[in-house]
Amino acid sequence: MSQRGIPRRQFLSSALARLTAPLVLSSPSFAQTPSASALLPLPTDANITVSVLVSGTWLSLTNPNAAPRTFALQTDLACYPAGITPSQDNFETYEFVTMQVPQEADWGGFYPADGKYTLVVQIADAQKRLGKVVVSDLSTGAVLATFIANGDGSGVSGQVTLPWEQEYMKVAGYDRGGQPLFVLAATNGLADTLFPFLNEGNFIPYRPAVIESAKGHYVFASNTPIGDPHNVSGVMTYLGSPLANASWSSANADAVNDTSNKTQLFPPPPFYSYSKRYVALDTASRNLDSLKVNDPDYLQKLIGELKAATASDPTPALSGIDLAPYSDNSGYWVAN
């Protein structure tokens, strides 16, 4: 449930097909996701291997009651060929590593407990050319840290503590003569970047028992009820499964209007109580107000979109039928 072009953790607001039970999910993208300790070869020079970690004490974005945790993760990295200027706009084009978030409940998104994180850099060169590595702000070029290579030029390591608002960094390597060896860009993981994402699926349908007509009119569907409209446990299926993507049944009613006035015949229970949208479960909008993000305006926009998508609509799903004066009538409704 992820998509290239959105390489960081995603909060996916999901409106499941015709099931009013939105979800919030999180997942990494399908880009390479190494362990925190791995050094990976650069796409531009396989002799140089790198690891850039984001380390800190973290709080859960989605569960304010979760205890703080301390861990380090390989962060998002892009590697640029010679002649290409790194920027936020082309980061995804040259990205070769994407952060692997913890595969645990409550930890698909997180932010630092003290508003800071530590960028941990480790680089090795099999050809022993390394002189120094400079970490700078990707947009302004302001130098954030400089790490000097070891004596034989085979490795560089260092760390720098940065404010959480420092989202994009340039990590540039130079030989001992000051000539460039590589140019990387790294992020802080962007745990508070939110993206609406549609995840569609099918569900085991709720089907009330058919209400038959005493006059023997047509009956649509079986007379065996299925499911419980107030219980959503275990009803979801994967998209493409053979189960239905809608609930359905039918009802009949007979009535005589022996008055001189026009009257209405309404669907029999439980059909008359069905509304156009009943939200049986909402795990999306209930958690959003607790999220801590750098862009409150964007969060409020997303909350508005989700609440609109998950709002109940009490409008009756089935309308009544007009009965003419002095008439013998049959009503037939199909709920789908």
Side-chain angles (χ1 to χ4, degrees):
M1 291 179 293
S2 103
Q3 160 183 332
R4 289 301 299 151
I6 305 178
R8 43 242 45 5
R9 294 182 298 294
Q10 305 161 33
F11 289 85
L12 312 180
S13 58
S14 304
L16 303 168
R18 302 198 188 183
L19 175 67
T20 52
L23 308 175
V24 164
L25 306 176
S26 65
S27 77
S29 78
F30 291 148
Q32 195 171 7
T33 50
S35 66
S37 60
L39 270 70
L40 295 173
L42 295 183
T44 56
D45 187 340
N47 290 299
I48 298 177
T49 55
V50 303
S51 170
V52 180
L53 308 181
V54 172
S55 176
T57 299
W58 311 96
L59 300 175
S60 170
L61 268 171
T62 56
N63 183 0
N65 298 316
R69 292 182 57 180
T70 299
F71 52 81
L73 295 173
Q74 175 75 65
T75 194
D76 311 315
L77 285 177
C79 181
Y80 293 87
I84 302 297
T85 301
S87 71
Q88 294 185 30
D89 292 336
N90 62 15
F91 183 92
E92 294 166 10
T93 301
Y94 297 99
E95 183 182 15
F96 74 107
V97 178
T98 295
M99 178 180 281
Q100 172 87 45
V101 299
Q103 300 300 299
E104 302 176 35
D106 300 329
W107 290 100
F110 43 86
Y111 64 101
D114 58 358
K116 301 176 182 179
Y117 68 98
T118 299
L119 193 74
V120 182
V121 177
Q122 184 178 0
I123 299 174
D125 181 12
Q127 295 185 348
K128 300 182 178 181
R129 297 164 291 174
L130 292 169
K132 66 179 179 179
V133 169
V134 178
V135 179
S136 58
D137 183 278
L138 185 61
S139 299
T140 68
V143 174
L144 304 172
T146 300
F147 308 129
I148 304 301
N150 58 13
D152 66 0
S154 63
V156 175
S157 62
Q159 61 185 46
V160 57
T161 299
L162 301 170
W164 185 234
E165 292 74 21
Q166 182 67 54
E167 295 183 341
Y168 285 88
M169 288 70 63
K170 177 181 175 181
V171 181
Y174 302 88
D175 65 17
R176 279 170 282 192
Q179 296 301 308
L181 291 174
F182 60 85
V183 177
L184 308 176
T187 78
N188 67 354
L190 301 177
D192 59 0
T193 299
L194 308 180
F195 296 89
F197 188 91
L198 181 64
N199 174 41
E200 295 185 351
N202 294 332
F203 61 94
I204 300 171
Y206 163 64
R207 185 178 71 202
V210 167
I211 308 297
E212 300 184 13
S213 168
K215 298 182 179 180
H217 293 296
Y218 176 75
V219 172
F220 180 76
S222 165
N223 201 36
T224 303
I226 295 176
D228 177 352
H230 301 285
N231 182 7
V232 299
S233 176
V235 301
M236 284 305 304
T237 68
Y238 290 106
L239 187 63
S241 69
L243 295 177
N245 61 3
S247 298
W248 47 274
S249 189
S250 64
N252 291 269
D254 304 318
V256 173
N257 180 12
D258 58 1
T259 72
S260 60
N261 299 316
K262 183 174 68 174
T263 61
Q264 277 202 317
L265 173 62
F266 292 97
F271 290 82
Y272 77 89
S273 63
Y274 295 153
S275 60
K276 288 191 174 180
R277 175 180 287 174
Y278 164 69
V279 179
L281 175 67
D282 176 6
T283 61
S285 59
R286 71 184 184 190
N287 291 325
L288 284 175
D289 291 321
S290 67
L291 296 183
K292 307 295 191 299
V293 299
N294 289 336
D295 189 351
D297 291 339
Y298 180 81
L299 176 60
Q300 290 306 312
K301 178 177 180 292
L302 181 61
I303 290 176
E305 291 175 358
L306 278 176
K307 288 186 175 179
T310 60
S312 297
D313 183 351
T315 305
L318 302 174
S319 60
I321 298 172
D322 288 334
L323 303 182
Y326 305 112
S327 60
D328 187 356
N329 304 273
S330 292
Y332 176 61
W333 295 265
V334 174
N336 188 358

